[in-house]
């Protein structure tokens, strides 16, 4: 039994859902997301909209792949509903001498200790909001996957260094400091 799949996805206030063909469309105050139901494992789960709930059930409860897609599809739908109602945010900060970030149009400019500035195109559907200091910023959007992928791409520009304690960090990320060479 899938722990994630056994509970129906409740539609929040102001959120509506519709199934057209093999696409689930979720609309809310922050925007609209389309979720494809005809993935590589099509035919393993049934998605039905009942009143204010979206119910996902496996077609064959004995099939391992069907049970796996049951939980996966439920979580994807739950993320879409949460995204169009509340949105997702990943907060990052930079540590290091001269490290800073800025937003220039639809580009994120990072000064991260290289001989050149790292300029990254902000994907459509995402916004980057600067914090109180030029070293803090937040990536916001309605698509959880897109927010996480872009945040990871930014994080990889200068990964956290355990020896010097500098780099780009997620808020709340703890890095274990290591001792350097002894003389």
């Amino acid at each position: 039994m899938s722990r994630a799949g056994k509970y129906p996805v409740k539609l929040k206030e102001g959120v509506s859902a519709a199934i057209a063909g093999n696409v689930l469309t979720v609309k809310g105050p922050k925007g609209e997301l389309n979720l494809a139901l005809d993935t590589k494992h099509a035919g393993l789960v049934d998605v039905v909209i009942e009143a204010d709930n979206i119910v996902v059930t496996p077609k064959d409860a004995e099939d391992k792949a069907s049970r796996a897609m049951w939980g996966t599809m439920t979580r994807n739908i739950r993320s879409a509903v949460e995204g169009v109602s509340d949105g997702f945010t990943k907060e990052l900060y930079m540590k290091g001498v001269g490290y800073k970030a800025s937003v220039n149009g639809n580009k994120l400019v990072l000064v991260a200790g290289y001989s050149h500035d790292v300029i990254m195109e902000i994907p459509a559907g995402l916004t980057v909001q600067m914090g109180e200091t030029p070293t803090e910023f937040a990536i916001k959007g309605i698509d959880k996957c897109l927010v996480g992928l872009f945040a990871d791409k930014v994080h990889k520009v200068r990964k956290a260094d355990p020896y010097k304690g500098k780099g780009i960090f997620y808020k709340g990320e703890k890095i274990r400091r290591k001792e350097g060479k002894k003389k």
Side-chain angles (χ1 to χ4, degrees):
M1 184 110 200
S2 171
R3 292 182 200 169
K6 66 182 176 180
Y7 300 108
V9 179
K10 291 187 169 112
L11 295 176
K12 296 183 178 184
E13 189 174 322
V15 177
S16 64
I19 297 175
N22 286 328
V23 176
L24 173 70
T25 304
V26 182
K27 294 180 185 177
K30 295 222 178 228
E32 177 182 324
L33 283 175
N34 295 321
L35 189 64
L37 300 176
D38 60 344
T39 58
K40 182 171 86 171
H41 302 289
L44 296 178
V45 293
D46 288 324
V47 179
V48 180
I49 299 173
E50 297 176 352
D52 286 345
N53 293 326
I54 301 174
V55 180
V56 181
T57 54
K59 285 193 177 175
D60 182 13
E62 301 299 318
D63 184 30
K64 188 175 182 178
S66 183
R67 288 192 318 259
M69 273 312 284
W70 182 25
T72 301
M73 188 60 71
T74 303
R75 282 295 184 184
N76 289 343
I77 293 170
R78 188 167 284 135
S79 293
V81 169
E82 185 180 339
V84 297
S85 61
D86 302 330
F88 293 100
T89 303
K90 287 275 189 179
E91 296 179 346
L92 294 101
Y93 67 96
M94 304 172 83
K95 226 186 214 183
V97 176
Y99 284 26
K100 61 184 176 179
S102 63
V103 177
N104 190 4
N106 68 336
K107 297 188 186 303
L108 176 65
V109 180
L110 301 171
V111 179
Y114 293 113
S115 62
H116 59 282
D117 295 350
V118 179
I119 301 171
M120 303 177 81
E121 184 95 21
I122 300 172
L126 294 184
T127 58
V128 177
Q129 183 179 10
M130 296 304 298
E132 296 174 5
T133 64
T135 58
E136 297 175 358
F137 56 97
I139 300 168
K140 297 182 177 192
I142 61 172
D143 189 355
K144 185 177 188 177
C145 183
L146 193 60
V147 170
L149 284 172
F150 187 64
D152 187 53
K153 196 173 176 183
V154 171
H155 185 255
K156 285 182 180 176
V157 167
R158 182 66 89 174
K159 283 193 173 180
D161 184 9
Y163 294 101
K164 296 180 182 176
K166 62 183 187 176
I168 301 175
F169 299 84
Y170 291 110
K171 281 267 169 99
E173 177 182 19
K174 300 269 191 225
I175 184 143
R176 193 168 173 185
R177 292 292 306 268
K178 295 182 179 178
E179 190 175 342
K181 287 185 178 180
K182 300 222 180 195
K183 291 185 180 181

